[in-house]
Amino acid sequence: QVQLSESGGDSVQPGGSLTLSCVGSRVTDTSTKCMAWFRQAPGKEREGVATINWDGTTTYSDAVRGRFTISQNDAEKTLYLEMRSLKPEDTSIYSCAASSGPCLTDYYGGGYYITSKMESSGKGTLVTVSS
């Protein structure tokens, strides 16, 4: 059984929108307390994008706050990342991840860090923003 699998990546123009989906057994597993989206651009380290806790609370990196929305639909057993006003710097492979612990995040040095131990992660879906 696939634990996590992403879809929805595509090529879009700057200013465009996309919604990514993440499905799999970990999305609605009762042991899952935190779901998150990460991204990794070519030649760069993976970075946290957003988290959603079991109680619905969310956090975002400064780079995407106000443009991206993380949500979870238990009936559809799907985690979403709605992305608007996309920029070329959003070009990355986006992956979802799950943790059996609460979402833990830190903001320091201008960065946003998801420090929860993620036991499961998907392979990712490519988002390309280019004119």
Side-chain angles (χ1 to χ4, degrees):
Q1 191 173 13
V2 176
Q3 290 198 329
L4 292 170
S5 179
E6 305 88 347
S7 63
D10 204 345
S11 295
V12 297
Q13 293 188 341
S17 300
L18 275 178
T19 297
L20 306 182
S21 301
C22 171
V23 298
S25 60
R26 285 300 307 268
V27 177
T28 53
D29 192 310
T30 54
S31 68
T32 297
K33 299 297 184 282
C34 173
M35 295 291 301
W37 285 98
F38 292 84
R39 68 184 182 183
Q40 186 166 17
K44 295 188 177 181
E45 292 187 0
R46 189 177 77 156
E47 62 178 6
V49 176
T51 66
I52 184 165
N53 227 335
W54 61 273
D55 61 358
T57 55
T58 59
T59 68
Y60 297 91
S61 72
D62 290 343
V64 308
R65 187 181 296 110
R67 299 188 298 121
F68 290 13
T69 302
I70 186 172
S71 63
Q72 184 168 337
N73 187 314
D74 289 342
E76 297 178 358
K77 300 181 181 180
T78 305
L79 176 75
Y80 296 102
L81 184 68
E82 181 183 358
M83 306 184 294
R84 302 179 299 277
S85 302
L86 284 162
K87 305 175 181 179
E89 52 263 42
D90 294 320
T91 295
S92 287
I93 294 174
Y94 287 74
S95 60
C96 59
S99 173
S100 59
C103 292
L104 301 174
T105 56
D106 280 325
Y107 295 85
Y108 63 88
Y112 165 80
Y113 302 93
I114 300 172
T115 57
S116 303
K117 179 182 178 182
M118 298 293 173
E119 299 99 357
S120 302
S121 182
K123 294 182 178 180
T125 185
L126 177 62
V127 173
T128 303
V129 185
S130 174
S131 55

